């Protein structure tokens, strides 16, 4: 079961028009991610890391190719069906936490669960458990502005996994933190992935953090290839 593929990208093309110029960002990109696996995506800026994550997370349609999540081929699905898969099967973490400033840490983690149809009591219990797991249970009643950068990012990670997704996609999740805080936040993220059996694809410039993951990939000429630091 541990080797089950939960995300597969096959023959992905993604282009952007810029005036009369067409930028080919992804060109026949293939990638797969297994349950419980952490993969670092290490590549220079402008090579398509964010595009790959957006396509993988159904935030963008590829121009060609197929995205399969949890055994479901997604390219031909309706927008409503894609939204449902994204909501239930994919969690996102970004460099900047994007927490809702008017809500507490606990309420931020409850929000996606309430949208998914859980009761307030269930959502509150799950949010409280996640805050405890991330070692910030005592900060649940605080709003984002009252939290440190590392605490904010741990809340963002907890929010991303609140609906128990199959896949976690993270775009430079520690890029806005000092090295010591980044290491601590990544350790919390890594423990959460191992404990829950999540599959995680994490874009990072931090080679020390990348070396702690199961494997590393990069983007060369629009394709995903294995990477060795």
């Amino acid at each position: 079961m541990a080797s089950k593929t939960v995300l597969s990208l096959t023959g992905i093309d993604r282009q952007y028009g810029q005036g009369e110029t067409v930028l080919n960002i992804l060109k026949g990109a293939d990638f797969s991610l297994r349950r419980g696996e952490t993969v670092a995506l290490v590549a220079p800026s402008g090579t398509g890391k964010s595009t790959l994550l957006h396509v993988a997370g159904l935030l963008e349609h590829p121009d060609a190719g197929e995205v399969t999540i949890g055994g479901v081929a997604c390219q031909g699905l309706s927008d409503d069906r894609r939204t449902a898969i994204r909501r239930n099967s994919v969690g996102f973490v970004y460099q900047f936490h994007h927490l809702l400033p008017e809500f507490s840490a606990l309420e931020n983690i409850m929000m996606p669960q309430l949208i998914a149809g859980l009761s307030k009591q269930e959502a509150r219990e799950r949010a409280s458990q996640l805050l405890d797991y991330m070692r910030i249970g005592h900060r649940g009643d605080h709003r984002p502005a009252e939290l440190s950068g590392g605490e904010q990012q741990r809340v963002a990670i907890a929010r991303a996994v609140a609906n128990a997704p199959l896949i976690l996609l993270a775009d430079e999740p520690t890029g806005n933190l000092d090295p010591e805080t980044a290491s601590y936040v990544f350790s919390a993220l890594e423990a959460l992935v191992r404990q829950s059996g999540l599959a995680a694809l994490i874009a990072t410039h931090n080679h020390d953090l990348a070396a702690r993951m199961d494997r590393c990939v990069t983007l060369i000429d629009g394709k995903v290839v294995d990477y060795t630091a």
Side-chain angles (χ1 to χ4, degrees):
M1 189 69 180
S3 64
K4 180 181 178 183
T5 298
V6 293
L7 171 67
S8 178
L9 307 181
T10 307
I12 298 295
D13 291 350
R14 188 69 176 105
Q15 303 171 339
Y16 297 104
Q18 197 173 61
E20 296 182 356
T21 303
V22 174
L23 300 175
N24 295 296
I25 304 299
L26 300 176
K27 296 180 283 187
D30 298 321
F31 175 75
S32 63
L33 187 64
R34 297 186 299 275
R35 178 178 171 83
E37 181 181 39
T38 58
V39 177
L41 174 58
V42 181
S45 298
T47 55
K49 294 194 305 295
S50 294
T51 297
L52 184 73
L53 291 171
H54 289 171
V55 169
L58 306 184
L59 293 173
E60 293 186 30
H61 282 274
D63 296 297
E66 183 61 84
V67 179
T68 303
I69 294 177
V72 178
C74 300
Q75 183 66 344
L77 299 179
S78 67
D79 286 343
D80 286 347
R81 182 74 175 115
R82 285 169 61 91
T83 297
I85 291 174
R86 186 169 60 243
R87 182 178 62 236
N88 296 324
S89 298
V90 185
F92 294 93
V93 182
Y94 297 97
Q95 179 174 346
F96 300 99
H97 54 77
H98 298 301
L99 298 174
L100 299 171
E102 66 271 29
F103 294 102
S104 69
L106 188 75
E107 290 166 338
N108 266 278
I109 301 169
M110 289 174 63
M111 202 68 65
Q113 300 177 77
L114 295 174
I115 293 171
L118 267 70
S119 70
K120 279 190 177 181
Q121 181 177 347
E122 290 174 310
R124 181 175 294 275
E125 288 175 358
R126 167 78 170 158
S128 181
Q129 289 170 357
L130 285 167
L131 283 172
D132 286 341
Y133 193 86
M134 301 300 283
R135 299 183 180 179
I136 48 172
H138 61 294
R139 305 289 274 165
D141 292 333
H142 292 72
R143 294 186 179 183
E146 301 171 310
L147 303 175
S148 70
E151 288 171 337
Q152 291 172 352
Q153 198 62 311
R154 277 182 277 168
V155 173
I157 291 167
R159 180 183 60 182
V161 302
N163 285 338
L166 290 172
I167 302 157
L168 181 69
L169 302 175
D171 196 352
E172 297 289 349
T174 61
N176 200 38
L177 305 174
D178 64 81
E180 183 177 352
T181 303
S183 180
Y184 186 87
V185 169
F186 181 79
S187 293
L189 172 59
E190 186 178 33
L192 189 60
V193 168
R194 303 298 186 196
Q195 179 74 16
S196 63
L198 268 168
L201 175 60
I202 302 172
T204 181
H205 283 105
N206 189 320
H207 287 253
D208 290 335
L209 296 185
R212 292 164 58 177
M213 299 188 218
D214 294 321
R215 60 188 174 99
C216 297
V217 297
T218 190
L219 285 163
I220 298 177
D221 295 330
K223 289 181 168 57
V224 181
V225 298
D226 290 338
Y227 175 84
T228 303

